[in-house]
Amino acid sequence: MNRRRALSREEILRMLDLDDPVEHDSDISFSPEETSSESEEETVPVPRPVVARSITSRQTLRGRGGSARRTSRNRIGARGRGSTDDNNGWLEPPNPFGLISEEDIPTYTGVSGMKVPLPTDRTPLGYFTLFVDNVVIDRFVLETNKFAKQVKEHLPDFYYLKRWNCDTGTDSTEMRKLIGILMAMGVVSKPTERSYWSTNSIMETPFFKKVMPRDRFLALFTFWHLNDNEEAPLPGSPDYDKLYKIQPFFSHLQERFSSVYYPEENMAVDESVMPWRGRVAWRQFIANKPCRYGMKLYFLCESSSGYIVKMKMYTGKDGNKREVDHGPNVVKALTEDYRNKGHTIFTDSFFTSSDLVTYMQENGTSYVGTVLKHRRGNPTDISSKDMKVAKGKTVVRQKNNVVAVRYNDRKDFMLLSSKFTAEPVDTGKTVRLTREQRQRGEEARNAVKPMLVHEYNKSMNGVDHFDQHLSYYSFNRKTVKWWKRAATHLLHMAVVQAMILFNKYEDKPKPQADFVLDLVMQLTNCGVVERQDPADPHAERQDGEILAGDDEGQGNDEAAAGEVEAAAGGVEAEEPPQKRMRVKPMDFERLSHADNPHRLVPNPPTAKRMRAVRNCECCTIASGKKQTYIRRVQTSYMCKACKVPLCPDPCFSIYHSTKDYKREMRRYYSIIGEEE
């Protein structure tokens, strides 16, 4: 067994960085016997514990197997990266709760509210078109027709794709119906897409058949596209964009969200997850989110309503570069247009750092947020893991006008604030008493919390409110294309944004289900329903066509005549066929003169008349449940675009220029009667 030799005097002095042995005789002394000869010098017995505690060189740290290195890391982690012995500049405040001067708090100078005029059509569709307008719909139509021409020859010969005509393609009306059907699928839940057109008596939903045939929907959703594939930049090129597939639509919504509405003073920044378990390079896993797998979005939203004013999608890090201060950089990018206006930003610990709070304060913006204890720049004394804080107690440190508070409620956490202090305030909520407290006769009391904790709890849940609305009636369809999931998710976001503004500015707010249903009915032109005469073969509904008006009296007379003839001949009268429902055009198509040119044409011939006459939509005025006619005028003309029977004058002009044309016709005839 080999024994280690003792350290010589020179070795000890060299390791202690001592050059002159005489100078340090008072610290380390040696006996005369130890210096008598060279052989004796090599065997000087030095107490090992004393030397080990005094040595801090790298050689000794390596010799101890790295245990000292681990201790050093733990000590640095407790103080915070880049910490110094002066507590990173944090001091005890003048009072126990911190002191922030009101003169140093930025004053809110923004004007919250609509930045554009309210829609003339104060309906769900009017608010929805603030974000998804004709520009977006026309872009969808253009890229869908273009993509169908590019890939139809190369796709498998599915039966529902055979009928697609690349020359005609689709149009804006059909594209709106596609969006309406997708929304309706979020309200009516069924196992597969084909189930919505099922004829099974249990699963049948007639609405989808009336709006669009099944094969047409499948073909249209297959060819649905948002951008041109042939112009996509290749990976590695300077202008390569990972979001190229959805970039036009994503950029349009970003611009409209911020240009339609200006938020209130308090805003929140948080992350949201777009559900997706398929293949995409930037798919994320966030354990504490309702949808743990998906594509991550960053939102800047109004705290009170949850309205999104700015958003950003995370697409992974840039190459192999290490991301530094990713959270603070996200906050700076989202709040760029709202600095120096006195806003207050609330965030969680993923984004907050002391440098960010100082940066926002210098740019005229207050900041409140939780922070991780080991973040760089935190006060080292109160961020230590060894420090214990009693429940309900606070420990405060302050640097300039920024307050750092460590607070223990249900768990121990830390916050930074440049606006609110730790002064206790009454939250207005009652603390629940335990059984032992009730038995002792204690009375219920209101919960008291530090001011910055109370304000944080009130204003941080804006994104959570928006995510809650997104979880209801989601019309995301099963697909292997990530960009289609992203596109339907963005459409759903536009619906929620429209609902928030509708409920804010309309006298009668609507629940989300009613808002979505009304929007679906308007997008698919199914707002007004009437009866149709089945005897008219030319009134049969074609795929994707809105039915015209009909002469109800004529159909009833012919049916009655058939019953009389059958009874006279001794033949049992057949049951008259059931009347089918027909749909009239909605206001936005009736009053629009851009896509559908309105002009008068003769009514199509019927089986018995070459030039059929029908009840004029404007002149014919009925009342009561049995539709007793107060005035009934028949005409042989109809509008070609609307397919509604109308008199040439004045009905044609009133119908296409007045929203409530029935009321206008009553007023018109009352004036005519007075003149007569």
Side-chain angles (χ1 to χ4, degrees), residues 390-410:
K391 186 173 182 180
K393 301 297 182 180
T394 59
V395 182
V396 183
R397 295 292 181 268
Q398 185 166 345
K399 182 168 67 174
N400 299 329
N401 287 314
V402 180
V403 173
V405 178
R406 186 163 177 180
Y407 176 65
N408 187 5
D409 189 10
R410 294 184 180 178

Side-chain angles (χ1 to χ4, degrees), residues 156-396:
D157 195 15
F158 292 125
Y159 64 92
Y160 58 83
L161 300 179
K162 291 181 180 179
R163 301 178 183 177
W164 183 276
N165 189 346
C166 292
D167 296 331
T168 58
T170 185
D171 56 10
S172 59
T173 301
E174 195 173 36
M175 187 59 63
R176 289 187 181 92
K177 291 181 179 180
L178 172 67
I179 297 174
I181 290 177
L182 291 174
M183 293 180 186
M185 288 180 174
V187 179
V188 182
S189 179
K190 293 190 179 183
T192 61
E193 289 180 350
R194 299 174 184 271
S195 303
Y196 291 94
W197 285 267
S198 173
T199 57
N200 188 299
S201 58
I202 299 176
M203 302 182 65
E204 185 176 11
T205 306
F207 166 80
F208 296 94
K209 299 177 185 178
K210 294 178 181 179
V211 176
M212 186 181 294
R214 181 197 63 188
D215 294 350
R216 183 63 178 178
F217 170 81
L218 295 176
L220 189 56
F221 191 67
T222 300
F223 291 131
W224 186 43
H225 230 63
L226 278 64
N227 211 350
D228 190 0
N229 286 352
E230 293 183 349
E231 298 180 1
L234 297 176
S237 59
D239 55 346
Y240 175 68
D241 185 6
K242 294 180 180 179
L243 301 178
Y244 177 81
K245 289 278 190 179
I246 62 170
Q247 192 59 55
F249 187 38
F250 188 79
S251 301
H252 176 85
L253 288 184
Q254 274 187 320
E255 188 273 331
R256 294 303 296 169
F257 287 171
S258 59
S259 63
V260 168
Y261 178 80
Y262 193 85
E264 298 174 355
E265 178 181 357
N266 294 341
M267 296 192 292
V269 175
D270 204 354
E271 54 189 5
S272 177
V273 177
M274 182 189 305
W276 177 251
R277 283 183 172 265
R279 296 180 59 182
V280 69
W282 53 89
R283 190 186 69 173
Q284 298 286 303
F285 172 79
I286 303 178
N288 59 351
K289 293 293 182 181
C291 302
R292 297 184 297 171
Y293 291 92
M295 294 171 276
K296 185 161 65 173
L297 288 163
Y298 296 116
F299 289 153
L300 171 65
C301 72
E302 187 181 57
S303 297
S304 60
S305 63
Y307 180 88
I308 302 297
V309 294
K310 206 82 171 180
M311 62 179 176
K312 180 181 179 181
M313 182 178 288
Y314 178 70
T315 57
K317 61 182 181 180
D318 186 10
N320 295 324
K321 297 179 181 178
R322 180 174 175 268
E323 291 183 320
V324 180
D325 293 335
H326 174 69
N329 290 337
V330 169
V331 176
K332 292 177 183 179
L334 292 177
T335 60
E336 182 178 2
D337 298 334
Y338 299 94
R339 298 176 196 161
N340 297 311
K341 296 182 180 179
H343 286 283
T344 303
I345 306 298
F346 295 84
T347 66
D348 60 13
S349 58
F350 178 79
F351 305 94
T352 308
S353 68
S354 61
D355 294 338
L356 177 63
V357 178
T358 304
Y359 174 84
M360 298 298 287
Q361 189 180 31
E362 293 173 352
N363 286 271
T365 305
S366 302
Y367 192 99
V368 181
T370 56
V371 64
L372 298 175
K373 298 184 182 71
H374 62 269
R375 277 281 164 87
R376 179 177 63 246
N378 286 349
T380 57
D381 55 347
I382 68 172
S383 59
S384 173
K385 294 182 179 178
D386 300 331
M387 181 180 182
K388 303 297 182 183
V389 180
K391 186 173 182 180
K393 301 297 182 180
T394 59
V395 182
V396 183

Side-chain angles (χ1 to χ4, degrees), residues 644-665:
V644 173
L646 295 167
C647 296
D649 184 58
C651 303
F652 182 80
S653 60
I654 292 178
Y655 181 79
H656 293 105
S657 61
T658 308
K659 186 174 182 180
D660 192 354
Y661 57 89
K662 290 285 188 183
R663 182 177 179 181
E664 181 66 21
M665 289 304 299

Side-chain angles (χ1 to χ4, degrees), residues 490-504:
L490 292 174
L491 282 172
H492 195 187
M493 288 177 56
V495 174
V496 175
Q497 294 278 80
M499 183 197 67
I500 292 174
L501 294 183
F502 181 90
N503 292 338
K504 183 184 284 285

